[in-house]
Amino acid sequence: MMKVLVTGGAGYIGSHACKALSKAGFTPVTFDNFSTGWHDAVQFGPCVEGDLTIRADIDRAFADHAPAAIMHFAALSRVDEAMAKPGLYWRNNVLGSLNLVEAAVEHGCRDIVFSSTCATYGDQDNVILNETTAQYPINAYGASKQAIERMLHDFEATHGLRHVIFRYFNVAGADPDADVGEFHRPETHLIPIVLDAVAGTRDGVTVFGTDYPTPDGTCVRDYVHVSDLVDAHILGLRWLMDGKESRDFNLGTGTGFSVREVIDAARRITNKDVPTKVGNRRAGDAVKLVSGSVRAEEELGWQPKRSDMAHMIEDAWRWHQVADYQR
Ligand code: UDP
């Protein structure tokens, strides 16, 4: 079976991608430094423990497994951390990706699917963000991902490394079979924090800012189910394998939910209380990030199936209740 190197394969999105790859007939080879990933999440293929900032580690993965393609998820991805430690983000995300693409070229691997972010667009109020929208990141996380996008263009022009770039909006939910799901330590993401509050493992949720220029004063995000997201990655991989041109796609639903709307949905779906309090704005947060998804639908044939708020919270909640490795 064709091997695909999955950097960050032990993380939230990477582990779901490994499951999708294995279902689609590929062998996912996880490459992870386990700084934010989990050994229990590696269930669908072999694993190389290593760090992208160490070139010898990534060379070992290529030498041992000769992957035909790469899915590159490994990155630090917390806006608050990026604001506090920009150097960490530039070193880990950009240098790590540089090592990866240089190694890919040297080992003759020519196809990469890259996990980028809507944070590359920055804060552009009341705009539906399309692939043609100019990118003005407002934090080191978005800037590091934009730099990697640019790196991929340069490596294609000179070395023929072909890419599909996916810019994610807010990823949510969990594998509907609850084999893998979302878990970070510390947890910073809204939906798992809300579910911790539902489960009683945290006192409540602090809403970061209620004075934003949105209908209820809280930030608006476009949430996509992780299963739909990884389906797009399989389509992106096949796109490259079919010899099509390098391309970038936004992955969102075109519908925004405010922080308060997410919390209300969680209350409704779990039938439990979610104590909330109002806090300050979080540094680096954009007011509203909502995607257009026309290109992915029209060109890739991507059709989100579970990206309604009810499915995302139901699947996340199911996983939250059965997952062992979060305890
Ligand atoms: N948020 C919040 N309280 C929390 C965590 C997040 O109000 O405890 C807000 C955050 O400010 C943002 C939205 O929820 O507006 C989504 O944040 P998350 O960290 O889940 O994803 P991000 O948009 O940063 O990728």
Side-chain angles (χ1 to χ4, degrees), residues 162-163 238-247 299:
R162 299 163 62 251
H163 61 258
R238 294 201 193 284
W239 172 281
L240 289 172
M241 287 167 49
D242 287 348
K244 294 189 181 150
E245 63 183 7
S246 293
R247 199 75 168 130
E299 297 186 18

Side-chain angles (χ1 to χ4, degrees), residues 136-197:
Y136 301 110
I138 57 169
N139 54 57
Y141 168 56
S144 71
K145 290 283 188 171
Q146 186 191 24
I148 300 161
E149 290 192 12
R150 175 61 213 233
M151 186 191 295
L152 291 177
H153 284 280
D154 290 344
F155 271 70
E156 177 178 33
T158 303
H159 299 296
L161 178 68
R162 299 163 62 251
H163 61 258
V164 163
I165 292 168
F166 287 118
R167 284 182 214 102
Y168 311 160
F169 285 64
N170 286 57
V171 189
D175 171 38
D177 305 325
D179 288 336
V180 281
E182 180 169 19
F183 179 57
H184 307 99
R185 178 153 284 157
E187 189 53 76
T188 62
H189 293 289
L190 180 62
I191 292 178
I193 282 178
V194 169
L195 295 178
D196 283 344

Side-chain angles (χ1 to χ4, degrees), residues 232-306:
H233 285 66
I234 302 295
L235 294 170
L237 179 63
R238 294 201 193 284
W239 172 281
L240 289 172
M241 287 167 49
D242 287 348
K244 294 189 181 150
E245 63 183 7
S246 293
R247 199 75 168 130
D248 57 323
F249 300 96
N250 286 358
L251 294 178
T253 64
T255 305
F257 287 87
S258 72
V259 174
R260 284 209 194 281
E261 286 172 330
V262 171
I263 295 171
D264 287 345
R267 280 197 186 104
R268 242 186 352 264
I269 289 157
T270 63
N271 213 11
K272 297 249 173 63
D273 188 29
V274 182
T276 59
K277 65 177 183 190
V278 173
N280 293 330
R281 288 183 176 198
R282 188 174 66 174
D285 265 346
V287 178
K288 178 178 173 186
L289 292 167
V290 178
S291 169
S293 57
V294 175
R295 185 183 285 183
E297 287 172 16
E298 285 186 351
E299 297 186 18
L300 283 179
W302 182 57
Q303 287 189 327
K305 298 184 188 75
R306 298 183 79 83

Side-chain angles (χ1 to χ4, degrees), residues 7 51-55 58 62 70 72-76 89-105 112 114-115 144-149 151-152 155 161:
T7 74
D51 194 308
L52 285 178
T53 62
I54 301 169
R55 176 61 197 267
I58 188 72
F62 278 106
I70 303 165
H72 179 29
F73 298 96
L76 295 172
Y89 274 64
W90 280 94
R91 185 170 302 105
N92 186 79
N93 293 357
V94 179
L95 177 62
S97 298
L98 181 59
N99 280 336
L100 177 67
V101 297
E102 285 187 331
V105 167
I112 181 166
F114 173 55
S115 147
S144 71
K145 290 283 188 171
Q146 186 191 24
I148 300 161
E149 290 192 12
M151 186 191 295
L152 291 177
F155 271 70
L161 178 68

Side-chain angles (χ1 to χ4, degrees), residues 29-238:
V29 179
T30 289
F31 182 92
D32 208 293
N33 66 4
F34 293 94
S35 64
T36 57
W38 303 92
H39 286 279
D40 290 356
V42 184
Q43 303 169 23
F44 309 101
C47 179
V48 178
E49 187 158 354
D51 194 308
L52 285 178
T53 62
I54 301 169
R55 176 61 197 267
D57 284 1
I58 188 72
D59 278 331
R60 180 161 48 88
F62 278 106
D64 289 353
H65 292 283
I70 303 165
M71 284 193 187
H72 179 29
F73 298 96
L76 295 172
S77 62
R78 279 173 45 196
V79 169
D80 59 327
E81 188 179 48
M83 295 300 286
K85 299 177 187 169
L88 179 66
Y89 274 64
W90 280 94
R91 185 170 302 105
N92 186 79
N93 293 357
V94 179
L95 177 62
S97 298
L98 181 59
N99 280 336
L100 177 67
V101 297
E102 285 187 331
V105 167
E106 275 181 33
H107 290 269
C109 182
R110 289 285 183 275
D111 292 335
I112 181 166
V113 179
F114 173 55
S115 147
S116 188
T117 171
C118 59
T120 58
Y121 292 113
D123 203 359
Q124 307 191 33
D125 288 358
N126 298 319
V127 175
I128 297 291
L129 300 164
N130 290 312
E131 293 82 356
T132 50
T133 308
Q135 293 169 293
Y136 301 110
I138 57 169
N139 54 57
Y141 168 56
S144 71
K145 290 283 188 171
Q146 186 191 24
I148 300 161
E149 290 192 12
R150 175 61 213 233
M151 186 191 295
L152 291 177
H153 284 280
D154 290 344
F155 271 70
E156 177 178 33
T158 303
H159 299 296
L161 178 68
R162 299 163 62 251
H163 61 258
V164 163
I165 292 168
F166 287 118
R167 284 182 214 102
Y168 311 160
F169 285 64
N170 286 57
V171 189
D175 171 38
D177 305 325
D179 288 336
V180 281
E182 180 169 19
F183 179 57
H184 307 99
R185 178 153 284 157
E187 189 53 76
T188 62
H189 293 289
L190 180 62
I191 292 178
I193 282 178
V194 169
L195 295 178
D196 283 344
V198 167
T201 52
R202 86 168 55 221
D203 292 341
V205 182
T206 302
V207 177
F208 295 146
T210 54
D211 59 350
Y212 284 100
T214 60
D216 67 15
T218 65
C219 289
V220 171
R221 296 286 182 273
D222 184 344
Y223 293 84
V224 185
H225 195 294
V226 64
S227 297
D228 289 334
L229 189 89
V230 298
D231 282 353
H233 285 66
I234 302 295
L235 294 170
L237 179 63
R238 294 201 193 284

